[in-house]
Short mmCIF file of all heavy atoms in Angstrom, two decimals:
data_model
loop_
_atom_site.label_atom_id
_atom_site.label_comp_id
_atom_site.label_asym_id
_atom_site.label_seq_id
_atom_site.Cartn_x
_atom_site.Cartn_y
_atom_site.Cartn_z
N GLU V 234 11.33 8.47 -2.08
CA GLU V 234 12.84 8.32 -1.94
C GLU V 234 13.53 8.40 -3.31
O GLU V 234 14.57 8.93 -3.41
CB GLU V 234 13.12 7.04 -1.27
CG GLU V 234 12.76 7.01 0.20
CD GLU V 234 13.59 7.92 1.12
OE1 GLU V 234 14.70 8.07 0.84
OE2 GLU V 234 12.98 8.34 2.06
N VAL V 235 12.82 7.89 -4.34
CA VAL V 235 13.37 7.86 -5.62
C VAL V 235 13.51 9.31 -6.18
O VAL V 235 14.57 9.76 -6.62
CB VAL V 235 12.53 7.06 -6.59
CG1 VAL V 235 13.12 7.23 -8.07
CG2 VAL V 235 12.65 5.58 -6.23
N ILE V 236 12.42 10.03 -5.94
CA ILE V 236 12.44 11.35 -6.36
C ILE V 236 13.49 12.26 -5.69
O ILE V 236 14.21 13.02 -6.29
CB ILE V 236 11.11 12.07 -6.14
CG1 ILE V 236 10.02 11.31 -6.99
CG2 ILE V 236 11.06 13.51 -6.55
CD1 ILE V 236 8.69 11.58 -6.43
N THR V 237 13.66 11.97 -4.37
CA THR V 237 14.55 12.81 -3.59
C THR V 237 15.92 12.08 -3.43
O THR V 237 16.71 12.42 -2.58
CB THR V 237 14.00 13.12 -2.15
OG1 THR V 237 13.82 11.87 -1.51
CG2 THR V 237 12.70 13.90 -2.29
N ALA V 238 16.17 11.09 -4.23
CA ALA V 238 17.37 10.30 -4.06
C ALA V 238 18.65 11.19 -4.06
O ALA V 238 18.76 12.01 -5.03
CB ALA V 238 17.48 9.19 -5.18
N PRO V 239 19.44 11.16 -3.12
CA PRO V 239 20.63 12.02 -3.14
C PRO V 239 21.55 11.65 -4.30
O PRO V 239 21.40 10.55 -4.82
CB PRO V 239 21.29 11.65 -1.80
CG PRO V 239 20.40 10.65 -1.07
CD PRO V 239 19.39 10.13 -1.97
N VAL V 240 22.29 12.62 -4.61
CA VAL V 240 23.10 12.44 -5.86
C VAL V 240 24.11 11.37 -5.73
O VAL V 240 24.66 10.76 -6.65
CB VAL V 240 23.89 13.80 -6.36
CG1 VAL V 240 22.89 14.68 -6.99
CG2 VAL V 240 24.44 14.43 -5.00
N ASP V 241 24.46 11.03 -4.45
CA ASP V 241 25.52 10.01 -4.24
C ASP V 241 24.86 8.56 -4.24
O ASP V 241 25.51 7.71 -3.67
CB ASP V 241 26.34 10.33 -3.03
CG ASP V 241 25.54 10.32 -1.79
OD1 ASP V 241 24.32 10.17 -1.84
OD2 ASP V 241 26.08 10.59 -0.68
N THR V 242 23.73 8.45 -4.71
CA THR V 242 23.13 7.09 -4.66
C THR V 242 23.23 6.51 -6.13
O THR V 242 22.93 7.24 -7.14
CB THR V 242 21.61 7.21 -4.31
OG1 THR V 242 21.54 7.65 -3.06
CG2 THR V 242 20.96 5.83 -4.45
N VAL V 243 23.73 5.29 -6.19
CA VAL V 243 23.99 4.69 -7.50
C VAL V 243 22.95 3.59 -7.81
O VAL V 243 22.84 2.68 -6.99
CB VAL V 243 25.43 4.19 -7.61
CG1 VAL V 243 25.71 3.54 -8.96
CG2 VAL V 243 26.39 5.33 -7.43
N PRO V 244 22.24 3.61 -8.88
CA PRO V 244 21.27 2.50 -9.14
C PRO V 244 21.88 1.23 -9.39
O PRO V 244 23.04 1.13 -9.72
CB PRO V 244 20.64 3.07 -10.46
CG PRO V 244 21.11 4.47 -10.78
CD PRO V 244 22.38 4.67 -9.95
N THR V 245 21.14 0.20 -9.06
CA THR V 245 21.68 -1.23 -9.20
C THR V 245 21.41 -1.81 -10.52
O THR V 245 21.82 -2.98 -10.71
CB THR V 245 20.98 -2.12 -8.07
OG1 THR V 245 19.67 -2.17 -8.46
CG2 THR V 245 21.22 -1.54 -6.67
N ALA V 246 20.69 -1.16 -11.39
CA ALA V 246 20.31 -1.68 -12.66
C ALA V 246 19.06 -2.60 -12.49
O ALA V 246 18.62 -3.18 -13.50
CB ALA V 246 21.45 -2.49 -13.40
N ILE V 247 18.62 -2.82 -11.34
CA ILE V 247 17.33 -3.60 -11.22
C ILE V 247 16.33 -2.57 -10.61
O ILE V 247 16.36 -2.31 -9.44
CB ILE V 247 17.53 -4.82 -10.18
CG1 ILE V 247 18.61 -5.71 -10.72
CG2 ILE V 247 16.27 -5.58 -10.10
CD1 ILE V 247 19.05 -6.78 -9.78
N PRO V 248 15.42 -2.10 -11.51
CA PRO V 248 14.50 -1.03 -11.08
C PRO V 248 13.71 -1.29 -9.81
O PRO V 248 13.66 -0.44 -8.88
CB PRO V 248 13.53 -0.89 -12.33
CG PRO V 248 14.40 -1.37 -13.40
CD PRO V 248 15.24 -2.49 -12.91
N ALA V 249 13.19 -2.50 -9.67
CA ALA V 249 12.42 -2.88 -8.48
C ALA V 249 13.21 -2.73 -7.22
O ALA V 249 12.70 -2.34 -6.12
CB ALA V 249 11.79 -4.26 -8.68
N MET V 250 14.51 -3.15 -7.31
CA MET V 250 15.38 -3.05 -6.14
C MET V 250 15.63 -1.60 -5.83
O MET V 250 15.67 -1.21 -4.63
CB MET V 250 16.62 -3.94 -6.39
CG MET V 250 17.47 -4.22 -5.23
SD MET V 250 18.14 -5.83 -5.26
CE MET V 250 19.66 -5.49 -6.15
N ASP V 251 15.88 -0.77 -6.78
CA ASP V 251 16.14 0.55 -6.63
C ASP V 251 15.02 1.29 -5.90
O ASP V 251 15.21 2.14 -5.06
CB ASP V 251 16.48 1.27 -7.94
CG ASP V 251 17.81 0.83 -8.46
OD1 ASP V 251 18.70 0.36 -7.67
OD2 ASP V 251 18.12 1.00 -9.68
N ARG V 252 13.83 0.88 -6.31
CA ARG V 252 12.67 1.54 -5.67
C ARG V 252 12.62 1.29 -4.12
O ARG V 252 12.33 2.15 -3.38
CB ARG V 252 11.37 1.00 -6.37
CG ARG V 252 10.99 1.79 -7.53
CD ARG V 252 9.58 1.64 -7.94
NE ARG V 252 9.28 0.21 -8.39
CZ ARG V 252 9.50 -0.21 -9.55
NH1 ARG V 252 10.11 0.46 -10.48
NH2 ARG V 252 9.22 -1.51 -9.80
N ILE V 253 12.95 0.03 -3.85
CA ILE V 253 12.99 -0.35 -2.35
C ILE V 253 14.06 0.33 -1.68
O ILE V 253 14.02 0.87 -0.54
CB ILE V 253 12.96 -1.79 -2.15
CG1 ILE V 253 11.79 -2.45 -2.85
CG2 ILE V 253 13.08 -2.16 -0.62
CD1 ILE V 253 11.97 -3.93 -3.16
N LEU V 254 15.21 0.45 -2.40
CA LEU V 254 16.40 1.04 -1.77
C LEU V 254 16.39 2.55 -1.83
O LEU V 254 17.38 3.17 -1.40
CB LEU V 254 17.66 0.54 -2.45
CG LEU V 254 17.89 -1.00 -2.37
CD1 LEU V 254 19.14 -1.34 -3.12
CD2 LEU V 254 18.06 -1.37 -0.93
N GLY V 255 15.42 3.12 -2.37
CA GLY V 255 15.37 4.58 -2.44
C GLY V 255 16.34 5.10 -3.56
O GLY V 255 16.99 6.12 -3.29
N GLY V 256 16.37 4.39 -4.56
CA GLY V 256 17.23 4.89 -5.78
C GLY V 256 18.47 4.07 -6.01
O GLY V 256 18.98 4.03 -7.08
N GLY V 257 18.87 3.29 -5.02
CA GLY V 257 20.09 2.47 -5.24
C GLY V 257 20.89 2.39 -3.90
O GLY V 257 20.28 2.43 -2.79
N ILE V 258 22.17 2.21 -4.13
CA ILE V 258 23.08 2.08 -2.90
C ILE V 258 23.85 3.32 -2.76
O ILE V 258 24.49 3.74 -3.69
CB ILE V 258 23.89 0.80 -2.99
CG1 ILE V 258 23.04 -0.44 -3.13
CG2 ILE V 258 24.91 0.81 -1.89
CD1 ILE V 258 23.78 -1.70 -3.25
N HIS V 259 23.74 3.90 -1.58
CA HIS V 259 24.52 5.17 -1.33
C HIS V 259 25.99 4.89 -1.20
O HIS V 259 26.46 3.82 -0.81
CB HIS V 259 24.17 5.67 0.08
CG HIS V 259 22.89 6.18 0.28
ND1 HIS V 259 22.56 7.44 0.79
CD2 HIS V 259 21.65 5.68 -0.05
CE1 HIS V 259 21.23 7.69 0.83
NE2 HIS V 259 20.68 6.61 0.27
N ASP V 260 26.73 5.87 -1.63
CA ASP V 260 28.14 5.86 -1.36
C ASP V 260 28.40 5.73 0.12
O ASP V 260 27.69 6.37 0.88
CB ASP V 260 28.90 7.03 -2.02
CG ASP V 260 28.96 7.00 -3.48
OD1 ASP V 260 28.89 5.86 -4.02
OD2 ASP V 260 29.15 7.98 -4.13
N GLY V 261 29.29 4.85 0.52
CA GLY V 261 29.53 4.79 1.92
C GLY V 261 28.74 3.70 2.63
O GLY V 261 28.97 3.35 3.80
N ALA V 262 27.73 3.17 1.96
CA ALA V 262 26.83 2.10 2.51
C ALA V 262 27.44 0.78 2.45
O ALA V 262 28.06 0.45 1.48
CB ALA V 262 25.48 2.15 1.94
N THR V 263 27.18 -0.04 3.48
CA THR V 263 27.68 -1.39 3.37
C THR V 263 26.38 -2.35 3.21
O THR V 263 25.55 -2.29 4.06
CB THR V 263 28.39 -1.86 4.68
OG1 THR V 263 29.49 -1.00 4.86
CG2 THR V 263 28.82 -3.33 4.57
N PHE V 264 26.33 -2.99 2.05
CA PHE V 264 25.13 -3.92 1.89
C PHE V 264 25.68 -5.35 1.87
O PHE V 264 26.78 -5.60 1.31
CB PHE V 264 24.49 -3.60 0.46
CG PHE V 264 23.36 -2.62 0.64
CD1 PHE V 264 23.61 -1.30 0.96
CD2 PHE V 264 22.05 -3.06 0.47
CE1 PHE V 264 22.61 -0.43 1.10
CE2 PHE V 264 20.94 -2.11 0.60
CZ PHE V 264 21.21 -0.83 0.90
N THR V 265 24.85 -6.22 2.53
CA THR V 265 25.17 -7.62 2.49
C THR V 265 24.23 -8.35 1.74
O THR V 265 22.95 -8.14 1.78
CB THR V 265 25.24 -8.16 3.87
OG1 THR V 265 26.27 -7.46 4.64
CG2 THR V 265 25.40 -9.60 4.00
N ILE V 266 24.63 -9.24 0.86
CA ILE V 266 23.74 -10.11 0.03
C ILE V 266 23.89 -11.50 0.56
O ILE V 266 25.05 -12.02 0.56
CB ILE V 266 23.86 -9.94 -1.41
CG1 ILE V 266 22.93 -10.96 -2.12
CG2 ILE V 266 25.33 -10.23 -1.90
CD1 ILE V 266 22.60 -10.56 -3.67
N ASP V 267 22.82 -12.00 1.10
CA ASP V 267 22.89 -13.35 1.63
C ASP V 267 22.25 -14.35 0.64
O ASP V 267 21.09 -14.21 0.27
CB ASP V 267 22.07 -13.47 2.95
CG ASP V 267 21.79 -14.84 3.48
OD1 ASP V 267 22.69 -15.69 3.33
OD2 ASP V 267 20.63 -15.03 3.93
N THR V 268 23.10 -15.37 0.26
CA THR V 268 22.50 -16.24 -0.77
C THR V 268 22.70 -17.68 -0.35
O THR V 268 23.44 -17.95 0.65
CB THR V 268 23.31 -16.07 -2.07
OG1 THR V 268 24.67 -16.50 -1.82
CG2 THR V 268 23.32 -14.67 -2.53
N ASN V 269 22.05 -18.63 -0.93
CA ASN V 269 22.45 -20.00 -0.77
C ASN V 269 22.87 -20.61 -2.14
O ASN V 269 22.72 -19.94 -3.14
CB ASN V 269 21.33 -20.85 -0.09
CG ASN V 269 20.11 -20.92 -0.95
OD1 ASN V 269 20.14 -20.97 -2.19
ND2 ASN V 269 18.97 -20.96 -0.25
N SER V 270 23.54 -21.69 -2.02
CA SER V 270 24.18 -22.28 -3.21
C SER V 270 23.27 -22.40 -4.43
O SER V 270 23.60 -22.32 -5.51
CB SER V 270 24.80 -23.52 -2.83
OG SER V 270 23.96 -24.45 -2.30
N LYS V 271 22.01 -22.72 -4.07
CA LYS V 271 21.07 -23.00 -5.15
C LYS V 271 20.61 -21.75 -5.90
O LYS V 271 20.19 -21.82 -7.00
CB LYS V 271 19.80 -23.75 -4.64
CG LYS V 271 19.99 -25.24 -4.54
CD LYS V 271 18.62 -25.91 -4.52
CE LYS V 271 18.55 -26.82 -3.26
NZ LYS V 271 17.15 -26.94 -2.81
N SER V 272 20.64 -20.65 -5.17
CA SER V 272 20.10 -19.45 -5.74
C SER V 272 21.01 -18.76 -6.85
O SER V 272 22.22 -18.94 -6.73
CB SER V 272 19.77 -18.45 -4.70
OG SER V 272 20.96 -18.01 -4.07
N ASN V 273 20.45 -18.22 -7.79
CA ASN V 273 21.24 -17.55 -8.85
C ASN V 273 21.40 -16.15 -8.53
O ASN V 273 20.53 -15.32 -8.67
CB ASN V 273 20.43 -17.76 -10.17
CG ASN V 273 21.31 -17.29 -11.34
OD1 ASN V 273 22.34 -16.69 -11.14
ND2 ASN V 273 20.85 -17.66 -12.49
N TYR V 274 22.53 -15.88 -7.95
CA TYR V 274 22.82 -14.51 -7.50
C TYR V 274 23.65 -13.77 -8.54
O TYR V 274 23.89 -12.61 -8.37
CB TYR V 274 23.61 -14.57 -6.21
CG TYR V 274 24.74 -15.52 -6.23
CD1 TYR V 274 25.94 -15.23 -6.78
CD2 TYR V 274 24.55 -16.84 -5.68
CE1 TYR V 274 27.06 -16.19 -6.79
CE2 TYR V 274 25.62 -17.74 -5.76
CZ TYR V 274 26.83 -17.35 -6.24
OH TYR V 274 27.83 -18.32 -6.39
N ARG V 275 24.10 -14.46 -9.51
CA ARG V 275 25.05 -13.94 -10.54
C ARG V 275 24.52 -12.59 -11.08
O ARG V 275 25.31 -11.62 -11.12
CB ARG V 275 25.29 -14.94 -11.62
CG ARG V 275 26.41 -14.71 -12.51
CD ARG V 275 26.72 -16.05 -13.31
NE ARG V 275 25.62 -16.69 -13.75
CZ ARG V 275 25.37 -16.92 -15.09
NH1 ARG V 275 26.26 -16.58 -15.94
NH2 ARG V 275 24.28 -17.52 -15.44
N TYR V 276 23.27 -12.61 -11.51
CA TYR V 276 22.73 -11.40 -12.17
C TYR V 276 22.56 -10.28 -11.13
O TYR V 276 22.88 -9.13 -11.49
CB TYR V 276 21.38 -11.72 -12.85
CG TYR V 276 21.59 -12.68 -13.96
CD1 TYR V 276 20.99 -13.89 -14.02
CD2 TYR V 276 22.29 -12.22 -15.12
CE1 TYR V 276 21.27 -14.79 -15.04
CE2 TYR V 276 22.43 -13.03 -16.22
CZ TYR V 276 21.95 -14.36 -16.24
OH TYR V 276 22.10 -15.12 -17.22
N ILE V 277 22.10 -10.59 -10.02
CA ILE V 277 21.92 -9.50 -9.01
C ILE V 277 23.25 -8.86 -8.69
O ILE V 277 23.35 -7.59 -8.80
CB ILE V 277 21.41 -10.16 -7.68
CG1 ILE V 277 20.04 -10.89 -8.04
CG2 ILE V 277 21.14 -9.08 -6.63
CD1 ILE V 277 19.56 -11.76 -6.80
N VAL V 278 24.23 -9.66 -8.43
CA VAL V 278 25.61 -9.09 -8.13
C VAL V 278 26.22 -8.33 -9.34
O VAL V 278 26.66 -7.21 -9.19
CB VAL V 278 26.53 -10.25 -7.79
CG1 VAL V 278 28.03 -9.77 -7.72
CG2 VAL V 278 26.13 -10.83 -6.41
#
Side-chain angles (χ1 to χ4, degrees):
Chain V
E234 292 289 330
V235 173
I236 297 161
T237 60
V240 280
D241 60 357
T242 296
V243 178
T245 64
I247 302 169
M250 195 141 89
D251 289 339
R252 275 198 294 280
I253 300 157
L254 297 177
I258 296 177
H259 288 232
D260 283 341
T263 302
F264 267 70
T265 293
I266 178 162
D267 168 40
T268 65
N269 63 32
S270 53
K271 275 201 233 150
S272 62
N273 190 345
Y274 46 81
R275 193 160 47 120
Y276 292 114
I277 302 165
V278 166

